[in-house]
Amino acid sequence: MGTFRAVRIDKADAGQNVALVDFDEKDLMDGDVTVRVEWSTVNFKDGLAISGKAPVVRRFPMIPGIDFVGMVESSTHPDWKPGDRVILNGWGCGETHLGAYAEKARVKGDWLVPVPPGMTGREAMAIGTAGYTAMLAVMALERHGIAPDRGPVVVTGAAGGVGSVAVALLSRLGFTVIASTGRPQEADYLKGLGAAEIIDRAELAQPGKPLGKERWAGGIDAVGSQTLANVLAQTRYGGAVAACGLAGGMDLPTTVAPFILRGVSLLGIDSVMCPLPVRREAWKRLASDLDRGKLQTLSNEIGLAGVLVAAPAILEGKVRGRIVVKIP
Ligand code: NDP
């Protein structure tokens, strides 16, 4: 057994230390599949883990990184054999189980899904957990009967990772997309992804009335807090909002008015423990429903060391779209 390059978080007297180190293979945790990691990404949660701004990491030392694509090196799991190309999202990787920012990972075979045929590893991680969460949100709206003829759909945090993929997916599916962003300079980018209208996120950030003008049939919200409350208050009769994020805060200062007077539904989205059949369906849909050209537009590539710079940047809302991490 040897060593491999990895980002490691250690607990320190004041907070935590993060560094790119040589990690001993014998210190990998239990699992029935060992993967040579090829690509990862930087998600909002990775930013929280590396900065220590929220208690995401619950074991030290930790290799952060909540998602990867790689090639199976060895496996005792019946579903996987050496050479298989696999995707991992969540399941506590980068939180309680050693994660993705490393040349090697050992995980449970039950956590893995195959890279869809025709999709490259880079594309899969340009989508990453943020994009797969956007797909889960779209699927939740569809299950609720939200279709393009019901009216527009609003996406908050639109220039971020979840938001960018949600805009691209919804527009490809024929929805009229209203993109809410705090970055007016990204209007052309968002229109390029398929947004029909751009609104200033400040519009949704102030305390509003329990019920407002009915503006959209549905929403995908990555922001939470007052923004989600306003999105709910402005959702049309019988509409639905998929809540998946907390970039603006974890609270939800709403009233029951949208639910009991307009029959609006609030749909919760969790990607981490999402059951395998739903994951497989989401990745299948991402392979067929996401424009690959747009995926290229919304992603930038960095190396393993770049993760340390990208992590604080994503928390400051400075990252546009998705960051792909090429693992050497
Ligand atoms: P990003 O940082 O890429 O995107 C978040 C976006 O939210 C920003 O780009 C910005 O968009 C907007 N934003 C940031 N801060 C604020 C603020 N204070 N007020 C209003 N808007 C703000 O993160 P991701 O897309 O990776 O993740 C988005 C959220 O979804 C996070 O909270 C993350 O934890 C959550 N998430 C949840 C998952 C789940 O399983 N439920 C899975 C993946 C992510 P703009 O500049 O356009 O305004």
Side-chain angles (χ1 to χ4, degrees):
M1 285 210 190
T3 62
F4 57 86
R5 298 296 281 165
V7 175
R8 192 176 72 193
I9 305 179
D10 288 289
K11 207 165 180 55
D13 288 342
Q16 56 185 36
N17 291 331
V18 189
L20 188 55
V21 300
D22 289 319
F23 198 93
D24 217 318
E25 197 172 339
K26 71 173 170 34
D27 293 332
L28 279 174
M29 292 167 74
D30 285 348
D32 47 12
V33 181
T34 303
V35 178
R36 184 160 58 76
V37 181
E38 296 169 337
W39 298 94
S40 184
T41 81
V42 182
N43 297 281
F44 194 84
K45 191 186 259 179
D46 298 313
L48 291 174
I50 289 174
S51 68
K53 285 202 171 140
V56 170
V57 177
R58 277 162 284 144
R59 172 217 197 254
F60 294 93
M62 175 51 69
I63 297 175
I66 63 167
D67 47 7
F68 66 68
V69 160
M71 188 172 288
V72 173
E73 246 182 28
S74 62
S75 164
T76 55
H77 189 283
D79 289 355
W80 307 111
K81 58 178 191 321
D84 286 345
R85 318 251 351 276
V86 290
I87 301 174
L88 179 135
N89 298 109
W91 298 114
C93 281
E95 303 182 57
T96 52
H97 192 95
L98 294 176
Y101 297 147
E103 290 169 312
K104 233 175 247 257
R106 186 170 300 133
V107 296
K108 288 189 181 166
D110 289 346
W111 294 346
L112 299 168
V113 298
V115 177
M119 187 184 282
T120 66
R122 189 190 188 284
E123 285 169 342
M125 281 299 104
I127 295 167
T129 295
Y132 140 73
T133 301
M135 189 74 244
L136 292 176
V138 170
M139 286 161 55
L141 292 179
E142 288 174 342
R143 275 198 303 275
H144 196 80
I146 306 299
D149 62 0
R150 294 274 301 273
V153 172
V154 66
V155 175
T156 66
V162 173
S164 293
V165 178
V167 171
L169 276 171
L170 288 166
S171 86
R172 173 78 177 256
L173 293 168
F175 286 91
T176 300
V177 184
I178 301 174
S180 164
T181 183
R183 289 181 271 182
Q185 69 274 21
E186 300 300 355
D188 286 346
Y189 162 76
L190 289 165
K191 286 189 175 153
L193 293 181
E197 190 187 335
I198 313 292
I199 61 172
D200 187 337
R201 79 183 191 198
E203 259 187 58
L204 300 172
Q206 303 307 319
K209 292 182 189 157
L211 288 177
K213 184 167 170 268
E214 295 180 56
R215 291 172 83 181
W216 33 72
I220 294 181
D221 176 62
V223 174
S225 193
Q226 194 63 60
T227 299
L228 176 54
N230 284 321
V231 167
L232 287 165
Q234 295 174 43
T235 299
R236 288 184 186 173
Y237 192 92
V241 179
C244 60
L246 46 59
M250 207 173 190
D251 60 329
L252 180 52
T254 185
T255 73
V256 296
F259 312 122
I260 65 171
L261 297 176
R262 285 196 185 145
V264 169
S265 294
L266 179 55
L267 312 173
I269 304 298
D270 168 60
S271 67
V272 179
M273 303 306 287
C274 175
L276 214 45
V278 185
R279 286 173 190 256
R280 285 178 182 267
E281 175 62 16
W283 278 102
K284 207 168 122 199
R285 289 284 306 274
L286 284 159
S288 61
D289 294 356
L290 186 59
D291 183 313
R292 303 290 171 89
K294 287 182 182 169
L295 188 59
Q296 184 66 30
T297 313
L298 63 80
S299 58
N300 293 301
E301 191 174 312
I302 61 172
L304 208 44
V307 164
L308 304 183
V309 180
I314 199 166
L315 295 186
E316 289 162 24
K318 288 185 181 154
V319 171
R320 181 177 93 174
R322 304 275 302 125
I323 299 176
V324 191
V325 183
K326 187 171 171 40
I327 311 279

